[in-house]
Amino acid sequence: MKDIDDTPEQNNYTGEPIDVNAKKEYANRVIKSFVTEHVVNNIPQVPPQSIESNKRVTLICRICNKKYVRPSALQKHEEKIHGLQPPKSHTAVAQAKEQDTVYNYTHQVLVLLLLRLNHNDAIKLGDGERILRLYKCFCLYFKVSKCPKYAIAALHLQEQVNCLLNPRLARSLTCNRFVNHQGKLDTNFPMNLDVEHDNKAFKADIHSFKGEITVRSISREEELYKTVPGRKYVAFPDMKHNVLADIDVESLRSWIISNQ
């Protein structure tokens, strides 16, 4: 659509106006297509056998064969002693063409927004198991965002539930996170009143979004989902399409093992 009076050229509904099931199928199909195209990330996978091993990984210098346990120590040694630069990952080398960092920023906003909405929904329903699954994703984002304390806390949570605690305590840690004064299915909220704090911030932010639907506002919204090579935000000039793509799996494995 180029104008609010135009007829949509894509994702047109061709079913009967009174067919409720057809409308649901249409909505699900369109939403799934949008999420697949603009939201879904490819998360690097760590081989299961590498995590199960209790042995620390030995890293060897490329020049003098000196052994190290931590990747950061090896990198510092090679740069300071031998003047070597760290090897580039295959994901970094693959960034050959100029990217649209404005679209990448929109993509990351959608990813984090849906993760947050999923987290909020799990809180309302008192779904502790889903929250633990979400914290696996949050752990990676904390790691790439250079928030090591949050990342380690999320990692330790998984260790406690899956390895360290007995079944009764693990179940308590999973489910004993909510308070429900109304007794309904979807009226849970966290013990630290996180929902109230989020509501306050949301009300303050939403105040600036008052306005009407105009051609200009629709055009501005439409431009966010188009790829324009070289386009960028001043505040985020190097925004990547998938911030998790640059995770070094070997370094991640070493980090997980070193924090067990």
Side-chain angles (χ1 to χ4, degrees):
M1 292 179 61
K2 298 180 180 180
D3 190 86
I4 58 177
D5 296 325
D6 287 349
T7 301
E9 299 177 357
Q10 297 179 351
N11 301 320
N12 292 325
Y13 176 69
T14 58
E16 295 293 334
I18 60 175
D19 192 339
V20 177
N21 292 330
K23 289 182 178 180
K24 288 183 179 179
E25 292 178 1
Y26 162 78
N28 290 334
R29 183 175 66 255
V30 173
I31 293 173
K32 181 179 179 180
S33 175
F34 179 87
V35 171
T36 302
E37 180 179 359
H38 298 293
V39 178
V40 174
N41 267 340
N42 293 321
I43 301 178
Q45 300 294 321
V46 179
Q49 62 272 18
S50 63
I51 300 179
E52 295 173 357
S53 175
N54 291 326
K55 297 181 180 179
R56 291 184 177 272
V57 179
T58 302
L59 305 174
I60 302 176
C61 175
R62 290 175 285 174
I63 302 298
C64 63
N65 294 328
K66 189 175 181 180
K67 297 181 179 180
Y68 289 87
V69 174
R70 297 183 179 275
S72 58
L74 173 61
Q75 179 179 336
K76 183 177 180 180
H77 164 78
E78 290 184 341
E79 291 180 353
K80 185 176 181 180
I81 304 300
H82 305 295
L84 295 178
Q85 296 297 323
K88 295 183 178 180
S89 63
H90 66 281
T91 54
V93 176
Q95 304 293 337
K97 63 179 182 179
E98 193 173 14
Q99 295 194 38
D100 181 0
T101 58
V102 173
Y103 172 78
N104 291 348
Y105 177 83
T106 304
H107 168 77
Q108 291 302 326
V109 169
L110 288 175
V111 172
L112 296 177
L113 174 63
L114 290 180
L115 282 174
R116 182 58 179 171
L117 290 177
N118 196 356
H119 184 257
N120 287 348
D121 185 63
I123 291 174
K124 290 181 179 180
L125 296 176
D127 192 346
E129 294 181 354
R130 191 184 353 162
I131 288 179
L132 291 181
R133 292 195 298 269
L134 286 169
Y135 267 108
K136 293 181 181 180
C137 296
F138 292 153
C139 180
L140 297 179
Y141 278 101
F142 292 149
K143 186 72 170 63
V144 299
S145 301
K146 302 186 185 303
C147 300
K149 293 183 179 180
Y150 290 103
I152 291 176
L155 181 63
H156 285 177
L157 175 63
Q158 301 296 331
E159 292 176 346
Q160 289 177 316
V161 173
N162 296 293
C163 302
L164 302 179
L165 299 179
N166 60 49
R168 182 179 66 83
L169 291 178
R171 185 64 179 173
S172 177
L173 182 59
T174 301
C175 301
N176 191 22
R177 297 171 169 270
F178 317 100
V179 177
N180 191 340
H181 294 297
Q182 300 184 36
K184 298 180 181 179
L185 181 64
D186 59 349
T187 56
N188 295 276
F189 64 93
M191 295 180 180
N192 60 355
L193 304 181
D194 179 71
V195 172
E196 281 72 10
H197 295 162
D198 288 344
N199 286 341
K200 182 179 179 180
F202 176 78
K203 291 177 181 178
D205 292 340
I206 202 65
H207 182 73
S208 61
F209 287 90
K210 295 186 296 184
E212 298 179 355
I213 298 177
T214 63
V215 175
R216 183 178 179 182
S217 64
I218 291 178
S219 299
R220 184 171 63 248
E221 189 74 18
E222 182 183 12
E223 289 298 321
L224 293 177
Y225 299 100
K226 291 182 178 179
T227 301
V228 181
R231 185 174 56 162
K232 63 183 66 177
Y233 284 118
V234 176
F236 304 98
D238 300 321
M239 176 61 63
K240 299 178 181 178
H241 182 69
N242 183 4
V243 297
L244 299 182
D246 290 339
I247 290 182
D248 188 333
V249 176
E250 292 299 325
S251 298
L252 178 63
R253 180 187 64 178
S254 301
W255 175 78
I256 292 176
I257 294 175
S258 64
N259 286 283
Q260 287 180 344

